[in-house]
Amino acid sequence: MMKLNEKAFALACAAAFGIVWVVCSIFVMAMPDMMSDMTGNMLHTDWKSMGWHMSIFGVLFGGILWAALAGITGWLIAKIYNLQADK
């Protein structure tokens, strides 16, 4: 069975989540009402009553945190996969 390069997979996960975060943030900034409705529907809640409170700092800091979490998760997934591949 093929082994995964854990560092490369972690970096790919972090990059993919970073790209998705930027695209999502752009949509929220450009169409806040539509994105609020969509988020509310996805989470089965009334998101409009909370409202969006986005800042550039929040977008950057949140993106870094999400990318880091995705990278760690990707590394863990590859590590577990490789342990299973050894059996």
Side-chain angles (χ1 to χ4, degrees):
M1 185 178 275
M2 179 182 85
K3 288 191 121 187
L4 295 175
N5 180 326
E6 295 157 6
K7 289 180 184 176
F9 191 78
L11 183 59
C13 289
F17 268 74
I19 291 167
V20 169
W21 178 265
V22 169
V23 170
C24 184
S25 295
I26 290 169
F27 278 123
V28 169
M29 287 180 202
M31 302 176 288
D33 288 337
M34 185 174 128
M35 296 304 291
S36 179
D37 285 342
M38 186 173 75
T39 302
N41 290 331
M42 289 168 49
L43 299 175
H44 309 288
T45 184
D46 180 14
W47 203 257
K48 275 198 176 221
S49 64
M50 290 185 256
W52 292 111
H53 303 286
M54 283 182 69
S55 66
I56 295 299
F57 176 77
V59 170
L60 293 175
F61 189 66
I64 290 167
L65 288 177
W66 271 107
L69 181 61
I72 292 167
T73 303
W75 174 84
L76 183 60
I77 290 168
K79 189 74 169 170
I80 292 169
Y81 176 87
N82 286 340
L83 287 173
Q84 297 301 313
D86 288 340
K87 291 183 180 185

